Amino acid sequence: MALTSRQLEILTFIQEWVRERGFPPSHGEVAERFGFNRNAAREHLLALARKGEIELSPNDARGIRLLKESPPRQFELPLFGNIAAGSPITAPEHAREWLKIDPELFRPRADFLHRVDGDSMIDAGIVSGDLVAIHHQSEAANGEIIAACLLDRRTGYESITLKRYRRRGSKVTLEPENARYEPLVIDLAREADVQELPSFRIAGVMVGLLRQGRS
Amino acid sequence: MALTSRQLEILTFIQEWVRERGFPPSHGEVAERFGFNRNAAREHLLALARKGEIELSPNDARGIRLLKESPPRQFELPLFGNIAAGSPITAPEHAREWLKIDPELFRPRADFLHRVDGDSMIDAGIVSGDLVAIHHQSEAANGEIIAACLLDRRTGYESITLKRYRRRGSKVTLEPENARYEPLVIDLAREADVQELPSFRIAGVMVGLLRQGRS
DNA sequence: TCAAGTACTGTGCATTTGCACAGCACTGAG
DNA sequence: CTCAGTGCTGTGCAAATGCACAGTACTTGA
């Protein structure tokens, strides 16, 4: 049986409510949202139940179950910007936004996304604006693309850049994938003593890429 | 913080309850299940909230949101291979596999994924093995990257390739993004009469890209 | 030994909630 | 014209619900 436009409005409201809060609204909350009586809300719910859209559990507060499109609560991944103050830059609180994407889509699991800025990795097929999926780990194998976390000692700000990682002894090379850019060389031994060079740590390794757009 | 065995029991109970009924249990229902006081249930819920397993909405009946575990059903997209018999190649039945990814992650919505084979689009940052998200539509603007569906009249097989689309009058050019490859030119006017050239249609336009892997 | 955390019982209370019953106005089909 | 269905208002109530406060008992790490 087809829904009226009013009933569809109410069904949509319930679906959104469940997605945002994890539990269904009460009669009163439906009524408040649409500016009508609690009993009107109840009758709408009964109508939606008659039409097979929802199931009502009698006498139970918020006893609404969505039947058709099971509320698609999805996995989400935090997207981080380039710069953040303090430690650690990849804490969930610093997330700019959350994208609905299953972390298990990547192997190993992705822990966060990082938006690429610039063309320094273009020869690896990574263009500006791409979202790189990162698995959080503090070590990497030679040749892997990593999210490197660089600390500017003067300002105290951390920034994340994508680079290909190579290490020989205490010398770490962060290589761009673009002939027009120079590799960054960091000596971990010197780093330990002197406090002048930008400190560096591995935020994670690249496990995938997401591009949103037509080109 | 780790959960105690009792807390895990209660968390599992809530998860099962939500899966079976579509809404969370009340304090009293938790208490009834385990045979203890309503207030004991409340304290368990507070503990689970402290430990980040759930989120409690104050003063709301059944105001429990499950944070960690997410119910199974997610949006999925069909992944098509390169070659398929008969028409239409992008029918869901022909899907090789389904990936858990939200179609609404892309704008406009993605309808299917296509695995890229070869390096003909490398200058657009699309490498072999990438999964290209395609929005199903039969027309495209000049300069857009499309999934072109080519029909081999001799064998009757269709194949999908990714190309940049340009049209001048009845002449359609499908351009690779790699200097080492030649564009494919199709004359729709001639196409209509003669039956020798490979027929072509637009399967959809590219709306995004997904790469699974470290490089 | 002390403090903190876990794991309960027990009481009481203001609010919320589902639900029932009584109406009213409008619409579209038979 | 009638009837069923939709879409509301308004009142009232018993039960359910979250929550605060007061206790008790056990365990565990400092």
Side-chain angles (χ1 to χ4, degrees), chain A residues 57-76:
Chain A
S57 181
N59 295 308
D60 283 340
R62 305 173 196 273
I64 302 172
R65 135 166 266 172
L66 293 165
L67 290 176
K68 296 270 168 86
E69 247 170 275
S70 170
R73 180 111 72 82
Q74 289 152 322
F75 281 116
E76 293 187 323

Side-chain angles (χ1 to χ4, degrees), chain A residues 193-210:
Chain A
D193 306 335
V194 197
Q195 291 270 317
E196 285 168 23
L197 301 167
S199 181
F200 139 88
R201 65 182 175 89
I202 298 175
V205 298
M206 168 174 173
V207 290
L209 185 147
L210 179 69

Side-chain angles (χ1 to χ4, degrees), chain A residues 17-24 29 57 59-75 99-102 105-108 122 124-127 130 137 144-145 164 205-215, chain B residues 17-24 29 57 59-71 73-75 99-103 105-108 122 124-127 130 137 144-145 164 205-215:
Chain A
W17 181 290
V18 170
R19 200 177 51 218
E20 280 166 23
R21 317 208 187 193
F23 54 88
E29 283 155 348
S57 181
N59 295 308
D60 283 340
R62 305 173 196 273
I64 302 172
R65 135 166 266 172
L66 293 165
L67 290 176
K68 296 270 168 86
E69 247 170 275
S70 170
R73 180 111 72 82
Q74 289 152 322
F75 281 116
L99 269 89
K100 285 175 195 148
I101 186 165
D102 182 3
L105 200 57
F106 306 97
R107 294 271 138 199
I122 202 151
I126 302 167
V127 305
D130 280 359
Q137 62 182 62
E144 278 190 319
I145 294 177
R164 202 173 283 280
V205 298
M206 168 174 173
V207 290
L209 185 147
L210 179 69
R211 190 175 301 161
Q212 295 171 302
R214 289 165 184 262
S215 58
Chain B
W17 180 291
V18 169
R19 198 173 49 227
E20 280 165 25
R21 319 208 187 193
F23 54 88
E29 284 154 349
S57 183
N59 296 307
D60 283 340
R62 304 172 196 276
I64 302 172
R65 137 166 263 172
L66 292 166
L67 290 176
K68 300 261 167 100
E69 185 252 15
S70 165
R73 218 200 303 175
Q74 293 159 322
F75 277 119
L99 269 90
K100 284 177 193 149
I101 185 166
D102 183 4
L105 200 56
F106 306 98
R107 295 268 140 201
I122 202 149
I126 302 167
V127 305
D130 280 359
Q137 63 183 61
E144 276 189 321
I145 295 178
R164 203 173 280 281
V205 297
M206 170 174 171
V207 290
L209 183 146
L210 179 71
R211 189 176 303 162
Q212 296 171 302
R214 286 166 186 260
S215 59

Side-chain angles (χ1 to χ4, degrees), chain B residues 104-191:
Chain B
E104 306 293 342
L105 200 56
F106 306 98
R107 295 268 140 201
R109 164 183 39 81
D111 292 309
F112 64 93
L113 300 170
H114 174 69
R115 174 154 269 138
V116 174
D117 185 23
D119 58 352
S120 67
M121 294 302 282
I122 202 149
D123 290 342
I126 302 167
V127 305
S128 196
D130 280 359
L131 304 177
V132 180
I134 306 291
H135 177 70
H136 203 209
Q137 63 183 61
S138 55
E139 285 179 280
N142 268 345
E144 276 189 321
I145 295 178
I146 63 160
C149 201
L150 300 171
L151 172 65
D152 186 328
R153 284 247 165 69
R154 284 186 312 147
T155 62
Y157 279 80
E158 275 187 325
S159 64
I160 288 185
T161 52
L162 209 64
K163 292 284 187 300
R164 203 173 280 281
Y165 175 84
R166 284 187 209 284
R167 178 172 173 176
R168 272 207 203 80
S170 68
K171 282 231 172 77
V172 170
T173 315
L174 301 178
E175 303 174 355
E177 284 275 357
N178 185 333
R180 304 207 317 275
Y181 288 74
E182 288 298 308
L184 181 63
V185 183
I186 295 163
D187 191 332
L188 295 176
R190 245 174 89 186
E191 179 85 347

